[in-house]
Amino acid sequence: LNVRRAAEGIERLKAENPTLQLAILPESFNAPYGVEHFAKYAESVPDGATCQALSRLARKLAIYIIGGSIVEREAGRLYNTCTVWAPNGSLIGRHRKIHLFTMNIVAAHGGGVQFDEGAALTAGSELTVVKIGQQKVGIGICHDKRFEELARIYRNMGCSMLVYPSAFCICQGPMHWELLQRARATDNQLFVVTCSPARDNMSGYVAYGHSMIVDPWARVHREAGEGCEFIVERIDFDMVEQVRRQIPIHQQRRTDVYAKAKPKADP
Ligand SMILES: NC(=O)CCC(=O)C(=O)O
């Protein structure tokens, strides 16, 4: 049902916006997000039903699709995996979440969030850069955006946009969701895009919502609310070079100094 709903939504958007080139879905878009659900909904990549539906959709609409994430099963292991599809329906990227979401938040008022993806999933260990049109796009999944090293490496690899399909927790959302995206955009002078499930207060895991596009000036360019909503936006990639030219921090980095200061071992 979720896959059909996502496909219908993208088809409608394409009909309303014929120049649409890329569609992005949220983390765990085809199943409930929770350690107890992962094994039940796992599929193989790229032969599983969800992947095949995304491939057909990309080909039918002649667009790229960054397919949120699904639980992938391979060789007896489970991964939180984002697949990326080209307009001809071929798989051009497979990102397995590198930093698994492990958290034990104790809220002062009671409640909080306990989550341990590592209890069921295996972490990925490869970076994923895909070419969308002329642009290099770095892929991460939700918790991956807390790790500035990953974003920095993607920037060094020439990315002009980072995309993080997400299902951020409601506890940290108000404090960190926008902050993290604007921080990654400020540091690396590129677009940062997140796509979240809508908030459902009745579900076992309540996602924050607020899908967002942050521009290379680190301004929030567009933001969804908490409900079910699509953002459609034209991205001006010239802005990446404009910002990098005007504030040339990449060239100003003192890698010679940093190298000397490097601790021998991680503390
Ligand atoms: N699905 C996730 O990775 C959630 C990450 C999150 O909420 C965080 O605070 O980090």
Side-chain angles (χ1 to χ4, degrees):
L1 177 67
N2 286 336
V3 177
R4 201 174 67 220
R5 219 189 264 162
E8 285 168 2
I10 293 173
E11 288 209 41
R12 198 176 59 246
L13 288 179
K14 178 68 176 171
E16 291 164 4
N17 305 274
T19 58
L20 187 81
Q21 290 180 318
L22 167 66
I24 303 172
L25 291 166
E27 182 178 23
S28 192
F29 81 97
N30 68 340
Y33 180 63
V35 172
E36 68 278 23
H37 302 298
F38 289 153
K40 178 172 173 204
Y41 290 93
E43 296 183 21
S44 74
V45 172
D47 302 325
T50 303
C51 282
Q52 288 306 302
L54 293 178
S55 170
R56 276 195 305 274
L57 186 65
R59 194 170 55 243
K60 178 174 174 191
L61 304 181
I63 59 169
Y64 292 92
I65 297 178
I66 298 180
S69 83
I70 64 169
V71 177
E72 174 193 4
R73 186 191 302 277
E74 195 194 66
R77 293 182 176 205
L78 303 179
Y79 303 88
N80 188 339
T81 300
C82 171
T83 56
V84 186
W85 303 90
N88 65 3
S90 64
L91 182 68
I92 55 169
R94 179 180 68 174
H95 181 78
R96 289 171 168 169
K97 190 174 190 174
I98 297 173
H99 306 92
L100 296 180
F101 177 42
T102 300
M103 202 167 272
N104 185 5
I105 302 290
V106 183
H109 48 79
V113 171
Q114 286 76 41
F115 209 97
D116 183 12
E117 277 189 323
L121 304 182
T122 301
S125 47
E126 285 182 30
L127 309 186
T128 309
V129 174
V130 290
K131 197 92 186 285
I132 305 281
Q134 298 308 309
Q135 307 300 322
K136 282 188 181 174
V137 176
I139 307 289
I141 300 175
C142 200
H143 199 54
D144 280 338
K145 72 175 157 296
R146 284 191 181 271
F147 299 86
E148 76 278 9
E149 293 96 334
L150 178 63
R152 168 49 52 106
I153 295 169
Y154 281 149
R155 189 264 183 262
N156 291 348
M157 291 168 81
C159 292
S160 52
M161 182 160 88
L162 305 181
V163 174
Y164 298 95
S166 296
F168 210 72
C169 73
I170 196 161
C171 241
Q172 302 306 307
M175 282 189 288
H176 294 165
W177 173 254
E178 177 183 328
L179 177 71
L180 285 167
Q181 292 168 68
R182 297 185 65 198
R184 299 294 85 86
T186 316
D187 291 344
N188 299 298
Q189 302 176 306
L190 37 61
F191 284 92
V192 177
V193 179
T194 51
C195 182
S196 167
R199 193 175 301 181
D200 173 4
N201 290 313
M202 301 308 286
S203 82
Y205 177 91
V206 183
Y208 181 56
H210 294 274
S211 300
M212 195 172 275
I213 302 173
V214 176
D215 76 18
W217 292 108
R219 296 176 296 206
V220 176
H221 188 68
R222 286 289 300 275
E223 178 178 357
E226 294 162 8
C228 186
E229 185 178 335
F230 291 96
I231 295 179
V232 181
E233 193 58 50
R234 189 182 165 77
I235 301 281
D236 173 14
F237 283 103
D238 290 346
M239 200 188 288
V240 173
E241 278 319 310
Q242 287 161 13
V243 174
R244 290 179 181 179
R245 205 170 39 246
Q246 292 176 62
I247 310 178
I249 48 174
H250 194 68
Q251 290 83 335
Q252 290 176 313
R253 286 172 310 145
R254 289 294 307 276
T255 46
D256 55 331
V257 176
Y258 314 149
K260 269 192 289 189
K262 214 170 170 188
K264 289 211 164 26
D266 226 1

